[in-house]
């Protein structure tokens, strides 16, 4: 079926209450495509996936599928697997291949049907179902195969459902947030699997590295319509910006036309003549058209961190084990103000344990951890925090108060919630009726209002949509305190982090400056050096290099460029601060407030980094000269 249309929806419409999810929408999915479905939380992505899977029907519309099309969806509701073993849950995905085995057993040897069925089993490497189950289970690092699904954690159960869907190898594979709760190793394996996948895949994800590597097409679901774009996520953002610009230009022309026509109607008696009724009708038709519907961006403001001294948290020769398994061996690190540390490693390696040691919820088996008296921790755990399902959004965040203090700023609870995209018609919604993404935003809103000088985030990007993640990244880059964040999102780590702590085999930890890509380069160079042949014993020892007496050419050039760059950025900071100081700021720049604040925070953080680098090079230069 290569190149053919596998699934088509025409004129699809569906609404839940007053919320329109699909509005006369049209979309086609072709063979061999890997389509990424993106959109705001609550826009209807999961609902559309259920429509494609056939478990939900639209209110109106026509759906056409290719003959014999096999569709498998990664299940979200796992309650029926409570008493099912891991092995049996994955085996359900192999029902198609098991049926082929039964057909083969019933056929006479040498029949034409036998050759066809054997070709299918060979194509999917499904001659031994037990081996197929074990390969997928090992790659995803699943629990023992005889474990009951009801005894697994949410993340482990999600991986079992992913294994069940992948093992089926259908013509059309549907994956809803497949990378959630997976470590980077498992995500990389799944990328390799899907890159070579012989079928078609439709998936929802917030992992931009995964999206860029896997997707051949990106489709956005926005206000009930589908918008398609070939290329990377950056190409999609550019196409979206161009589309919205065209819509805004068309709306500007529409409003200009309406202003001219209404003025003509008011001033001209001729407007009432019968021959001008057509012109009046055009005006009424144009006035009935609606303006482009825009959803605002989340305005995530982290309260300013309290003052931190030179030392924040000092870890010295710490070792710790859980259940007899060494998680951390002889680890030392010193956290400093302004650092943003990404903590990475396989699931179960000990990342959350390290966070609990830092916050002194656990005591190390060996070594010591010193926390400065000025440190105020603010810890957002993997489950974020417990939200009361019977509370409304307003009750959960307000906690009986009408206002909240964000550093020096005092805002109303409703105004604070609007920053997290909860408008007045949504603040009275009960927590148990919110989507997963909305609950994640409420959890962030509840925790971040407390401030703190040492912010700790454990998997903060789970369930956040892509626009919200970009806002979170901007807020964290501008955070003035110390930040430690556990994440498997490589793009997020590269965007936010200044340092990486990585869990490696046998409880050994790597710690160093740089983003996640820099850590990967370092690890690759270490492995390459370890694999290189040892020098011959009779070879003369290499001559020791003379210590340098001055900065390298590259460092000299960098130092020379730092001062004008700092000056340029400080000029821009002064310009933005002057804009904020204008008495009519909100009248002239109200719509730009969030963008200007984000730019100001980013510039200040960048200037601090440039000053630190300038000081480092100057000290090195003086040391070499002396």
């Amino acid at each position: 079926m290569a190149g053919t249309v596998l699934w088509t929806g025409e004129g699809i419409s569906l609404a839940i209450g007053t919320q329109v999810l699909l509005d006369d929408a049209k979309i086609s999915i072709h063979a061999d495509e890997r389509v990424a479905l993106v959109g705001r939380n609550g826009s209807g992505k999961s609902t559309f996936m259920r429509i494609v899977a056939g478990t939900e029907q639209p209110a109106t519309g026509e759906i056409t599928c290719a003959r014999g099309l096999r569709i498998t969806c990664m299940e979200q509701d796992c309650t029926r697997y409570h008493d099912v073993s891991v092995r049996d849950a994955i085996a359900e995905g192999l029902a198609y291949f098991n049926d082929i085995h039964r057909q083969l057993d019933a056929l006479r040897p040498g029949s034409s049907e036998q050759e066809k069925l054997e070709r299918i089993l060979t194509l999917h490497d499904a001659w031994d179902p037990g081996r197929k189950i074990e390969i997928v289970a090992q790659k995803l690092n699943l629990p023992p195969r005889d474990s009951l699904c009801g005894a697994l954690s949410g993340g482990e159960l999600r991986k079992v459902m992913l294994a069940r869907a992948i093992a089926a190898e259908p013509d059309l594979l549907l994956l809803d947030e497949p990378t959630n709760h997976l470590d980077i190793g498992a995500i990389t394996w799944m990328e390799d699997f899907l890159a070579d996948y012989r079928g078609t895949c439709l998936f929802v994800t917030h992992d931009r590295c995964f999206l860029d590597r896997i997707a051949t097409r990106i489709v956005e679901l926005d206000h009930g319509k589908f918008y398609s774009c070939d290329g990377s996520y950056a190409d999609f953002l550019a196409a979206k910006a161009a589309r919205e610009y065209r819509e805004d230009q068309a709306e500007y022309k529409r409003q200009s036309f309406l202003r001219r026509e209404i003025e003509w109607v008011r001033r001209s008696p001729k407007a009432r003549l019968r021959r001008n009724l057509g012109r009046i009708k055009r005006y009424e038709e144009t006035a009935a058209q609606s303006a482009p519907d825009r959803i605002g961006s989340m305005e995530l403001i982290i309260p300013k961190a309290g003052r931190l001294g030179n030392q924040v948290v000092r870890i010295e020769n710490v070792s710790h084990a859980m259940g007899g398994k060494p998680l951390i061996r002889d680890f030392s690190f010193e956290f400093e103000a302004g650092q943003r540390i990404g903590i990475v490693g396989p699931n179960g390696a000990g990342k959350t344990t390290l966070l609990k040691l830092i916050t002194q919820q656990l005591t190390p088996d060996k070594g010591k951890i010193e926390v400065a008296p000025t440190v105020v921790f603010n810890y957002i755990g993997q489950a974020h925090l417990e939200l009361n399902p019977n509370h409304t959004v307003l009750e959960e965040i307000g906690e009986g108060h009408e206002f909240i203090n964000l550093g020096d700023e005092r805002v109303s609870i409703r105004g604070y919630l609007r920053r997290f995209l909860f408008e007045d018609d949504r603040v009275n919604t009960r927590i148990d009726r919110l989507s997963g993404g909305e609950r994640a935003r409420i959890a962030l809103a509840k925790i971040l209002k407390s401030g703190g000088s040492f912010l700790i985030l454990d998997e903060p990007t789970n369930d956040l949509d892509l626009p919200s993640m970009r806002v979170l990244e901007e807020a964290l880059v501008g955070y003035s305190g110390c930040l430690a964040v556990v994440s498997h999102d490589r793009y997020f780590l590269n965007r936010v982090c200044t340092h990486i702590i990585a869990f490696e085999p046998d409880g050994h930890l790597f710690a160093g400056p740089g983003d996640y890509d820099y850590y990967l380069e370092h690890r690759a160079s270490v492995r390459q050096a370890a694999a290189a042949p040892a020098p011959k014993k009779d070879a003369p020892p290499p001559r020791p290099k003379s210590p340098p007496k001055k900065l390298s050419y590259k460092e000299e050039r960098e130092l020379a460029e730092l001062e004008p760059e700092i000056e340029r950025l400080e000029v821009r900071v002064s310009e933005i601060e002057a804009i904020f100081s204008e008495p009519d700021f909100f009248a002239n720049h109200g719509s730009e407030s969030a963008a200007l604040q984000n730019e100001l925070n980013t510039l200040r953080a960048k200037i601090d980094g440039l000053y630190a680098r300038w000081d480092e090079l100057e000290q090195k230069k003086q040391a070499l000269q002396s």
Side-chain angles (χ1 to χ4, degrees):
M1 292 188 289
T4 61
V5 176
L6 297 185
W7 191 97
T8 298
E10 295 268 1
I12 306 175
S13 296
L14 181 66
I16 299 177
T18 59
Q19 184 182 10
V20 176
L21 299 180
L22 296 166
D23 181 15
D24 195 28
K26 176 181 178 181
I27 184 174
S28 294
I29 302 170
H30 296 257
D32 301 323
E33 279 194 311
R34 294 187 293 275
V35 182
L37 180 63
V38 301
R40 290 277 189 181
N41 283 333
S43 62
K45 300 188 297 296
S46 296
T47 301
F48 175 68
M49 295 282 272
R50 290 194 294 272
I51 289 174
V52 176
T55 57
E56 187 164 335
Q57 296 298 319
T60 62
E62 183 179 350
I63 293 173
T64 307
C65 297
R67 180 177 297 178
L69 179 68
R70 283 196 306 122
I71 303 176
T72 299
C73 182
M74 176 181 163
E75 293 199 26
Q76 303 295 316
D77 182 6
C78 309
T79 52
R80 72 182 184 89
Y81 292 95
H82 189 271
D83 296 323
V84 178
S85 71
V86 169
R87 181 182 293 103
D88 290 343
I90 302 173
E92 279 194 13
L94 301 177
Y96 172 70
F97 302 119
N98 292 333
D99 185 54
I100 290 178
H101 279 286
R102 284 191 292 271
Q103 292 180 51
L104 276 174
D105 292 340
L107 288 175
R108 296 193 314 272
S111 67
S112 58
E113 186 69 13
Q114 178 183 5
E115 182 181 351
K116 173 187 172 183
L117 296 178
E118 287 178 346
R119 189 165 60 248
I120 293 174
L121 293 179
T122 302
L123 177 67
H124 294 280
D125 191 19
W127 283 101
D128 184 350
R131 175 176 170 273
K132 195 172 182 67
I133 290 173
E134 192 58 30
I135 289 173
V136 175
Q138 286 181 1
K139 293 297 184 181
L140 290 174
N141 194 26
L142 296 184
R145 316 305 175 245
D146 56 354
S147 303
L148 292 180
C149 291
L152 304 181
S153 68
E156 289 173 328
L157 188 55
R158 190 175 181 83
K159 290 200 291 185
V160 172
M161 294 300 101
L162 175 61
R164 176 187 175 278
I166 286 176
E169 294 191 35
D171 303 314
L172 178 54
L173 176 65
L174 308 178
L175 301 174
D176 195 351
E177 294 288 6
T179 61
N180 269 8
H181 306 291
L182 295 188
D183 57 43
I184 293 175
I187 293 172
T188 302
W189 175 82
M190 187 162 58
E191 287 176 350
D192 293 337
F193 173 86
L194 292 177
D196 297 330
Y197 187 56
R198 287 181 291 268
T200 300
C201 183
L202 173 67
F203 62 94
V204 176
T205 187
H206 65 256
D207 187 321
R208 284 149 295 182
C209 290
F210 181 88
L211 188 153
D212 274 341
R213 183 177 175 199
I214 298 304
T216 58
R217 180 161 64 107
I218 298 175
V219 174
E220 181 184 22
L221 177 53
D222 184 23
H223 293 96
K225 304 288 188 184
F226 292 106
Y227 300 92
S228 180
C229 173
D230 295 329
S232 67
Y233 185 64
D235 295 326
F236 157 73
L237 290 178
K240 180 181 175 68
R243 169 170 58 85
E244 291 186 343
Y245 175 78
R246 291 193 298 271
E247 291 173 350
D248 291 341
Q249 290 293 100
E251 174 62 13
Y252 175 78
K253 292 177 181 178
R254 186 178 78 92
Q255 293 294 341
S256 298
F257 170 79
L258 292 177
R259 284 194 297 271
R260 290 194 307 269
E261 293 301 287
I262 195 65
E263 195 66 23
W264 172 75
V265 169
R266 286 173 178 170
R267 292 184 178 182
S268 175
K270 295 180 181 180
R272 300 174 181 85
L273 297 178
R274 184 177 297 274
R275 66 173 178 268
N276 290 319
L277 291 180
R279 183 170 179 178
I280 294 174
K281 185 179 180 181
R282 284 196 303 275
Y283 165 80
E284 292 172 345
E285 290 174 348
T286 305
Q289 297 171 7
S290 58
D293 203 352
R294 298 278 188 266
I295 298 177
S297 296
M298 186 171 73
E299 186 184 354
L300 199 160
I301 298 178
I302 303 174
K304 187 177 180 181
R307 183 182 176 278
L308 290 171
N310 293 331
Q311 180 179 322
V312 177
V313 174
R314 185 182 180 193
I315 300 176
E316 188 174 344
N317 301 323
V318 162
S319 296
H320 195 75
M322 294 284 283
K325 177 187 176 183
L327 298 179
I328 301 171
R329 291 182 188 265
D330 198 28
F331 177 58
S332 298
F333 188 76
E334 189 163 331
F335 293 88
E336 298 176 357
Q339 287 181 338
R340 299 188 298 275
I341 299 98
I343 302 175
V344 301
N347 288 334
K351 301 184 295 296
T352 302
T353 299
L354 176 61
L355 297 183
K356 290 182 177 179
L357 289 170
I358 293 169
T359 54
Q360 300 185 314
Q361 297 176 50
L362 290 176
T363 302
D365 298 337
K366 176 188 171 186
K368 63 179 180 178
I369 298 176
E370 298 175 356
V371 179
T374 55
V375 172
V376 178
F377 290 112
N378 193 352
Y379 186 171
I380 304 180
Q382 277 190 10
H384 297 300
L385 78 166
E386 292 298 323
L387 300 174
N388 189 327
N390 298 317
H391 278 175
T392 66
V393 171
L394 192 64
E395 290 169 342
E396 190 69 15
I397 298 299
E399 299 177 302
H401 302 284
E402 293 185 7
F403 291 89
I404 181 176
N405 293 320
L406 299 176
D408 299 331
E409 186 181 6
R410 179 176 168 84
V411 299
S412 69
I413 297 298
R414 289 177 180 271
Y416 180 65
L417 285 169
R418 277 195 291 272
R419 296 180 175 186
F420 289 84
L421 302 183
F422 289 94
E423 297 297 336
D424 291 345
D425 62 342
R426 200 71 176 142
V427 298
N428 291 317
T429 305
R430 282 181 20 156
I431 298 295
D432 60 355
R433 294 176 182 171
L434 300 178
S435 69
E438 287 175 321
R439 284 194 292 270
R441 295 205 305 269
I442 283 295
L444 283 173
K446 188 168 184 177
I447 287 278
L448 292 177
K449 71 178 185 178
S450 305
S453 55
F454 196 139
L455 186 60
I456 297 177
L457 307 177
D458 197 349
E459 293 289 1
T461 60
N462 281 349
D463 297 316
L464 287 183
D465 56 32
L466 290 166
S468 298
M469 284 177 60
R470 294 203 305 273
V471 175
L472 175 62
E473 289 164 1
E474 292 295 332
L476 294 178
V477 167
Y479 181 59
S480 58
C482 190
L483 169 70
V485 56
V486 172
S487 180
H488 300 307
D489 190 312
R490 294 151 292 177
Y491 187 97
F492 178 86
L493 291 167
N494 287 334
R495 176 73 179 86
V496 171
C497 296
T498 61
H499 293 70
I500 293 292
I501 295 175
F503 280 75
E504 299 188 331
D506 301 321
H508 297 290
L509 274 68
F510 163 88
D515 58 19
Y516 183 71
D517 282 348
Y518 180 81
Y519 159 68
L520 290 181
E521 292 174 8
H522 166 82
R523 187 175 65 175
S525 64
V526 169
R527 289 179 175 176
Q528 186 176 3
K536 296 180 180 179
K537 293 184 179 180
D538 55 353
R543 295 178 60 185
K545 293 183 179 180
S546 303
K549 297 182 179 179
K550 63 178 183 178
L551 295 177
S552 67
Y553 171 76
K554 185 178 178 181
E555 289 172 326
E556 285 282 6
R557 184 175 177 180
E558 182 184 3
L559 183 60
E561 293 173 349
L562 279 174
E563 189 170 346
E565 177 65 6
I566 291 172
E567 184 177 352
R568 183 184 69 82
L569 296 179
E570 287 181 334
V571 167
R572 178 56 182 160
V573 166
S574 299
E575 291 173 354
I576 297 175
E577 289 173 341
I579 292 173
F580 275 113
S581 301
E582 293 176 3
D584 54 353
F585 167 77
F586 285 103
N588 295 333
H589 306 284
S591 62
E592 307 171 57
S593 176
L596 287 170
Q597 185 63 57
N598 287 335
E599 183 182 359
L600 185 61
N601 292 339
T602 302
L603 288 172
R604 285 172 174 167
K606 191 170 184 179
I607 289 171
D608 289 343
L610 293 176
Y611 268 120
R613 180 59 175 162
W614 180 81
D615 186 55
E616 178 187 350
L617 290 174
E618 279 290 344
Q619 290 184 16
K620 183 177 180 180
K621 182 177 181 179
Q622 292 174 12
L624 291 173
Q625 289 174 345
S626 62

